[in-house]
Every structure is written in structure tokens, then in C-alpha cells.
Amino acid sequence: MEAVARGLSAPLDIIVLLTQMALGPEPDLQKKASSSLYGQIILPLCDDFSSHGVEVANRVLVTMILTFCPTPKGRETQEILQDLQLTDQESLLSRHKKLSSPRSLSPDQRRAVKKVFILSRVTLGADIAITSPIISRVKKALPQAK
């Protein structure tokens, strides 16, 4: 996280090691590694709300996914990603970028929307900074939707 705070890339080899430990056979080590990944890496990156933080978080999550895939529990995920030709970090990051790029809905598509689900971290900061503005925009863009 020190490297990220200085605008550098995250040392992904540490992410691989922590992910392997979280997936390993020792319950105590699994718990500590999972707690470290979430509490000390993922959560702070998500709270960063900067472009750099999002980019680093994406790389960390993709690294975790690619570390999980070769394991017995990850076999099904790996098959799905192979079918989609998403087998390396760059292809997964490109796919994420494509899917997260803003797209306009046609009037017919807007009318077809019946429900909108907005996920929230349920923290005051996230609610004020992110969730409330999203709700306002969705209400304006899709007034018929629940």
C-alpha cells in the first residue's frame, strides 16, 4: 500500500502469495491471509476513489482471480474464462474497461428498465460520496424504474 500511495504499481507477487495462503489448507493461515487481502489491500483501494486506486484494485483483483483459477476450486472459473478467451491479466483488464465504459441507452432500452439495483458499501462516506449521487442520477434517467 505504500507503493500505491506513492503512485506506483502494487507488488503483485505479494498478492499472489497472500491469495495462495488464503486458498491453502491451513485454516488459521487462510483467515489471516484473507483478512490481510481484504482489510489492508482491497478495502483501502476501494475507499481511495481515485483513478489510480481503481486501476490498482483491478490489477489486484485480476491477480487474485488468476491465482485462484488453477486450483481445484477454481477449475470451473478457469473454464468459463477460457471459453471467453480471458486467460491473462491484460485480457481481463481490457474486458473490465470495455464493460465499465459509459454507454447510452436508447429510449426503448430506458423504457424497458423495470428495476435498478445499486450496491452500497453501507458506510456513511460511501453513501455520501457515491450511493446518493447514483440514486439521484438513476431516478432522473429512469423515472419509471423501481
Side-chain angles (χ1 to χ4, degrees), residues 15-132:
I15 303 304
V16 170
L17 181 59
L18 283 170
T19 304
Q20 289 169 337
M21 291 166 44
L23 295 167
E26 190 178 321
D28 189 47
L29 196 54
Q30 286 177 344
K31 186 175 181 178
K32 288 177 182 177
S34 295
S35 179
S36 292
L37 281 165
Y38 180 74
Q40 296 178 22
I41 299 169
I42 301 299
L43 191 58
L45 287 171
C46 290
D47 285 345
D48 183 68
F49 298 118
S50 72
S51 297
H52 179 67
V54 169
E55 181 182 322
V56 173
N58 290 342
R59 288 198 177 276
V60 166
L61 291 168
V62 165
T63 299
M64 292 170 66
I65 291 167
L66 292 174
T67 303
F68 167 71
C69 281
T71 68
K73 291 181 181 178
R75 188 170 296 128
E76 185 177 352
T77 302
Q78 187 170 30
E79 289 172 6
I80 292 168
L81 292 176
Q82 286 174 340
D83 288 347
L84 296 170
Q85 298 178 356
L86 302 171
T87 57
D88 59 35
Q89 190 172 69
E90 292 311 312
S91 64
L92 282 164
L93 291 169
S94 293
R95 174 77 170 168
H96 173 268
K97 187 174 183 175
K98 180 182 175 186
L99 291 175
S100 61
S101 297
R103 298 177 297 246
S104 297
L105 298 176
S106 70
D108 287 340
Q109 289 172 318
R110 285 178 185 259
R111 283 189 292 278
V113 176
K114 302 292 184 230
K115 280 187 182 179
V116 176
F117 292 90
I118 300 171
L119 305 178
S120 173
R121 297 251 332 276
V122 193
T123 62
L124 184 59
D127 189 47
I128 292 169
I130 304 293
T131 309
S132 293

